[in-house]
Amino acid sequence: MSSNEIVFDKSFALPPGQVEEVAPGVRRLLCDNPSPFTWKGTVSYILGRGNVAIVDPGPDDPRHVAALLDAVRGETVTHILITHTHRDHSPAAAAVKAATGAPTFAEGPHRPSRPIEIGEAPRLDASADTDFSPDHVLADGDTITAGGFSVETVTTPGHTANHVAFALRGTGILLSGDHVMAWATSVVAPPDGAMSDYMDSLRKLARRDEALYLPGHGGAVRDAQTFVVQYIRHREGREASILGRLRKGAADIPTLVRAIYIGLDPRLVGAAGLSVLAHLEDMVRRGVVATEGPPSVTGTYRLAD
């Protein structure tokens, strides 16, 4: 195995709609919304017993909302926590709030990670939930008591500008949303996402001590600190591959994708191109790579002089 290869764990057999206790006081429930970007679907979490918090209630899917509400029947939902505002994570908050009266907590409404260029729009299947606005805005380090846990907000921008993780203090558990997942790397797609922010957030998590991550898709990330280092090395390796191809001459993004992503699922070619764009934006900002005008999906890139 090369030093920048991630050891993925795809052992996730939870059926949609079935409630499972994944850690003491933490239950999870899978939405039946599989796709190349969500894998088997979005995972919602329930914190505590009696007075509970719901984390990432998922897409606007009445079946999943009904399953969530059934899972907490006889309990009181006190908080709805949102890691980020992609359409597979936050839209169901409205229905859960209407049914329970619980307020919503998030970093803020959806916004791009950088100014929008002419002709740009949010992309990919898991695009922006622009209808969501939290009742309570969370900042880095904010702590709330929810579901019997002391829940610390850890801002982790990169996948989206408003992405956060939730650390359950005293447990060694971090709910990592889409920032770190066991089954695949996270999509970083401009203008929603920014690679410089994403790498800073990975390094931030690497300095923390949580050993178990519970992500928004797929199963738990165990030995999380080692895994985060693998994530960092993978992205550094991707940047090195881009630079290696540019040493042979200027190239556009489709050329870079063909050179770097061998055997890629055709459904993911667009996402791969946006990931390469995210790396290129970061490298142009740092003066490593040059292009004419602002970095774009249609641009041609070369090594900076």
Side-chain angles (χ1 to χ4, degrees):
M1 185 183 74
S2 66
S3 61
N4 60 12
E5 184 177 340
I6 303 174
V7 181
F8 292 117
D9 181 357
K10 298 192 176 184
S11 57
F12 183 63
L14 181 66
Q18 179 174 308
V19 183
E20 176 182 68
E21 187 165 36
V22 66
V26 182
R27 289 169 280 174
R28 66 183 176 186
L29 186 67
L30 176 67
C31 181
D32 190 14
N33 62 325
S35 80
F37 302 105
T38 62
W39 195 35
K40 294 187 177 182
T42 302
V43 182
S44 301
Y45 293 92
I46 302 167
L47 306 181
R49 294 279 182 179
N51 290 329
V52 305
I54 292 176
V55 181
D56 281 357
D60 183 14
D61 182 330
R63 295 170 303 166
H64 186 62
V65 171
L68 268 176
L69 295 175
D70 188 58
V72 298
R73 191 175 304 280
E75 300 179 291
T76 300
V77 180
T78 61
H79 299 72
I80 302 168
L81 308 180
I82 305 296
T83 62
H84 66 294
T85 48
H86 275 158
R87 287 192 294 108
D88 55 327
H89 288 263
S90 55
V96 174
K97 177 182 175 179
T100 66
T104 57
F105 296 74
E107 190 270 355
H110 197 86
R111 63 185 186 275
S113 291
R114 56 151 174 79
I116 301 292
E117 303 292 341
I118 294 173
E120 275 192 323
R123 303 179 179 96
L124 302 179
D125 292 349
S127 59
D129 176 12
T130 55
D131 294 329
F132 176 81
S133 184
D135 297 312
H136 299 277
V137 173
L138 297 172
D140 191 48
D142 282 355
T143 301
I144 57 176
T145 300
F149 291 97
S150 179
V151 181
E152 177 189 355
T153 303
V154 183
T155 52
T156 49
H159 177 65
T160 61
N162 65 356
H163 195 289
V164 300
F166 295 110
L168 308 184
R169 284 185 168 174
T171 69
I173 295 172
L174 182 90
L175 279 73
S176 59
D178 282 8
H179 189 66
V180 176
M181 301 176 290
W183 72 280
T185 56
S186 179
V187 172
V188 181
D192 267 9
M195 190 60 66
S196 56
D197 291 344
Y198 185 74
M199 295 300 291
D200 286 345
S201 295
L202 284 178
R203 295 182 182 109
K204 178 180 182 177
L205 291 190
R207 295 190 295 268
R208 297 181 62 90
D209 59 6
E210 287 85 10
L212 180 71
Y213 289 1
L214 300 178
H217 304 278
V221 177
R222 305 183 189 280
D223 191 11
Q225 295 308 303
T226 298
F227 194 75
V228 168
V229 170
Q230 290 178 356
Y231 250 55
I232 292 169
R233 289 177 177 170
H234 170 79
R235 290 295 185 181
E236 291 173 342
R238 186 71 76 208
E239 177 177 312
S241 296
I242 293 170
L243 291 173
R245 172 58 185 81
L246 293 181
R247 288 189 189 99
K248 300 177 181 178
D252 59 13
I253 286 178
T255 300
L256 290 167
V257 169
R258 287 192 296 271
I260 295 166
Y261 292 86
I262 308 302
L264 180 66
D265 183 336
R267 296 174 298 174
L268 299 178
V269 168
L274 292 173
S275 180
V276 169
L277 174 61
H279 277 289
L280 290 165
E281 284 187 345
D282 183 37
M283 287 188 277
V284 169
R285 180 187 62 83
R286 287 156 39 208
V288 178
V289 168
T291 187
E292 297 301 322
S296 72
V297 292
T298 58
T300 298
Y301 298 85
R302 64 185 187 279
L303 295 180
D305 297 332

